[in-house]
Structure formats: structure tokens, C-alpha cells
Amino acid sequence: LLTKRRVSPPTFKSKRKYKSFTRKCNAGKSVGWNLPGGNVVRIDGVDFRFHKSREIEGKLKTMTVKRDRLGDVYIYIVCEYDAERVAVGTGAGDAVGFDFGLKNFLVGSDGSKHVSPQFFKRDMNRIRRANRELSRKKKGSKNRERARLHLAREHKRVANRRRDHHFKLARELCEKYSLIALEDLNMNAMKSLWGRKVSDLGFADFVSILGWTAFKLGVETVSVPRFYPSSKTCSACGHILDKLDLRTREWTCPACGARHDRDLN
């Protein structure tokens, strides 16, 4: 059927659209990847040198190559090894429960408190200036690409600092306790209420990092059910309140008269 609609010739997909790809380990074959030795990785028959951040142990499974907004390329290797290699827990034998909060990042059942630095809030002015500079540049120009890289570098700096803080805090907790209980958070609901601050604290990323660190050090982690009324339950007598508003930070138990801090309780 002939029409008068004008069509353009076919176009090729831009390589910038693809940020990652995955290969299975196939030693000695032209398709796949393997490690011939040293800091060299062979992908589809071509050798590439890379910086090895740690020794690679176990049976090689898959490899994922990712490229970030700055153009830096990272290699993620998945290995399979026996669980017996996990170190014995270094905790002092104590068990602790932690409550996430907006004022205090973590409040422990032993009274300990950990405050998050909120790295995005600290560098907000730098990121705002970088956004303004990017919006002023002409699209398609080299100056705009230079401004885009500068903005991506600022965001990466914030993410790296937050991730470093999470790893150090997770290591500190795993060396102090042998069992850690955390609440199961509804992140979507929290973001709808508090938005940027929840993303800046990075609760979900910290839980993932803590789980991995605890696995390596032999520390047990427990997830408290999301709808368990831990804030409304008196830790002294077990009485459960019918209602407790989020703005109420302290309350008195009507059964035994004990005074509770919401997060600590």
C-alpha cells in the first residue's frame, strides 16, 4: 500500500545506550571470557589489562562489564566458593537491634547512636552550581560535554563517600556484635514522605552492605517484620498501644508507667 508519508532511512543504535554487558566463563573458547593470568582478562578472544582490586578466588561463573556516566569501565566477576571459607564471627557475643531514623541514622537497643553525615546535603551547593553550568551550555558543544562530566563527577564523589561510610560502619558493627536485628523498611513509602533525605541516607544500600559484611565475618543478621509494632510495644511490660503518631518521639506506657524514647524502645 503506497502512502505519501515521508520516512527517514534506518539509523544505527548508539553505543552510548548500552551501559553494561555480561559474559559466561568459557575457558579456551573464542566466545565468553576467562582469566589467562595476572591482571589480564580475555573477553571474546581479546585481552584487556585491568586493575585488580582483590584476589579472585573460587570457580569463575560470569563477568559483567559496566560503564558509568564518566566513561569509567568496571568489571564485576561472580565466583562460586564453599561457605567454609567465611571467617568465624568476631563479635563479642552480644545481640543488638537497630532502628533506622531520620535524625539518627541508627539507634541501637544498647543505647548506641550513629549519625549519618548526609553527603549529598553537604555538597548540594556544588551540585547546584554544576547543574546551572550544564544548563547554560549549548547542546552538542564540547563545553556542554565537559560540564556534563563535571556534574557526573560531583555525583560520583557523593556516592563514593556515602558507600565508604556504609562499609566502615558495617565493619564496625560486625566486629562488635554477633547478632544484628534490623527492621524491614518500606522504602517507597518513606521516599514519598521525606524524599531526598531518605535517598541521601541510603538505608537500602546500607542493609545490603551490612548483610554482605556480616556473611564474611560470620555474624548473624535478622530481619524484623515490617508490620511488627516495635515502636508501640512497651519494652518493660509488653503492653501495645492502640495508636502512636509518627510525630510522637516519646511516650509513657499506660500499663506500667515506663517512659520510652520511640527509637530506643
Side-chain angles (χ1 to χ4, degrees), residues 39-54:
N39 59 336
V40 177
V41 57
R42 183 169 298 162
I43 305 175
D44 295 344
V46 182
D47 291 346
F48 299 92
R49 295 176 64 87
F50 68 98
H51 172 71
K52 186 187 296 183
S53 60
R54 71 185 71 177

Side-chain angles (χ1 to χ4, degrees), residues 23-26 29-34 42-45:
R23 290 287 187 272
K24 293 182 179 180
C25 181
N26 294 321
K29 297 183 180 180
S30 59
V31 179
W33 75 281
N34 60 81
R42 183 169 298 162
I43 305 175
D44 295 344

Side-chain angles (χ1 to χ4, degrees), residues 1-264:
L1 180 64
L2 298 178
T3 63
K4 294 183 179 181
R5 184 169 62 91
R6 298 183 60 184
V7 296
S8 60
T11 58
F12 294 97
K13 293 181 179 180
S14 173
K15 65 180 182 180
R16 293 182 177 273
K17 287 182 59 178
Y18 301 95
K19 304 300 181 183
S20 65
F21 66 90
T22 303
R23 290 287 187 272
K24 293 182 179 180
C25 181
N26 294 321
K29 297 183 180 180
S30 59
V31 179
W33 75 281
N34 60 81
L35 296 174
N39 59 336
V40 177
V41 57
R42 183 169 298 162
I43 305 175
D44 295 344
V46 182
D47 291 346
F48 299 92
R49 295 176 64 87
F50 68 98
H51 172 71
K52 186 187 296 183
S53 60
R54 71 185 71 177
E55 291 299 325
I56 302 172
E57 301 178 356
K59 182 180 179 181
L60 304 177
K61 302 297 287 186
T62 62
M63 179 206 62
T64 300
V65 179
K66 293 185 178 181
R67 181 179 58 206
D68 61 9
R69 300 290 294 179
L70 281 172
D72 297 334
V73 180
Y74 298 88
I75 299 177
Y76 299 85
I77 298 177
V78 177
C79 301
E80 180 181 351
Y81 61 92
D82 297 332
E84 286 77 16
R85 292 190 178 184
V86 179
V88 179
T90 57
D94 299 328
V96 67
F98 282 107
D99 179 79
F100 290 105
L102 299 179
K103 184 177 180 180
N104 295 307
F105 182 71
L106 287 176
V107 178
S109 59
D110 57 352
S112 60
K113 294 182 179 181
H114 302 272
V115 181
S116 174
Q118 297 188 40
F119 298 102
F120 184 84
K121 183 178 180 180
R122 285 185 175 185
D123 293 349
M124 191 182 303
N125 291 332
R126 295 165 58 103
I127 294 177
R128 283 176 176 173
R129 286 195 297 268
N131 271 301
R132 286 197 297 266
E133 290 296 327
L134 177 62
S135 64
R136 293 169 183 164
K137 299 298 186 289
K138 183 179 178 181
K139 291 186 178 180
S141 64
K142 293 183 178 180
N143 285 334
R144 184 178 178 86
E145 178 63 16
R146 196 175 296 114
R148 185 193 68 80
L149 292 176
H150 175 63
L151 177 60
R153 196 173 292 109
E154 292 293 337
H155 279 289
K156 186 176 181 180
R157 179 172 177 266
V158 171
N160 287 341
R161 294 172 65 190
R162 182 189 300 115
R163 186 174 177 84
D164 178 70
H165 172 72
H166 286 171
F167 268 105
K168 290 179 178 178
L169 179 58
R171 183 84 182 190
E172 176 186 346
L173 297 179
C174 290
E175 290 179 348
K176 186 176 181 181
Y177 305 104
S178 60
L179 187 144
I180 301 175
L182 297 172
E183 57 180 330
D184 182 20
L185 297 175
N186 186 354
M187 299 305 303
N188 292 330
M190 294 182 66
K191 288 182 180 179
S192 64
L193 290 175
W194 298 289
R196 185 185 64 206
K197 187 170 185 178
V198 176
S199 300
D200 193 6
L201 295 173
F203 293 127
D205 292 339
F206 175 74
V207 171
S208 177
I209 292 173
L210 179 63
W212 170 241
T213 306
F215 172 76
K216 291 194 299 182
L217 298 181
V219 178
E220 185 179 358
T221 57
V222 178
S223 178
V224 180
R226 180 175 301 178
F227 298 104
Y228 178 75
S230 58
S231 298
K232 298 189 296 182
T233 304
C234 177
S235 58
C237 66
H239 177 75
I240 302 177
L241 295 178
D242 295 333
K243 185 178 180 180
L244 182 64
D245 294 333
L246 191 60
R247 68 184 65 181
T248 304
R249 309 313 301 174
E250 295 183 357
W251 59 279
T252 302
C253 178
C256 65
R259 185 71 177 174
H260 296 297
D261 175 88
R262 179 195 185 100
D263 296 332
L264 182 60

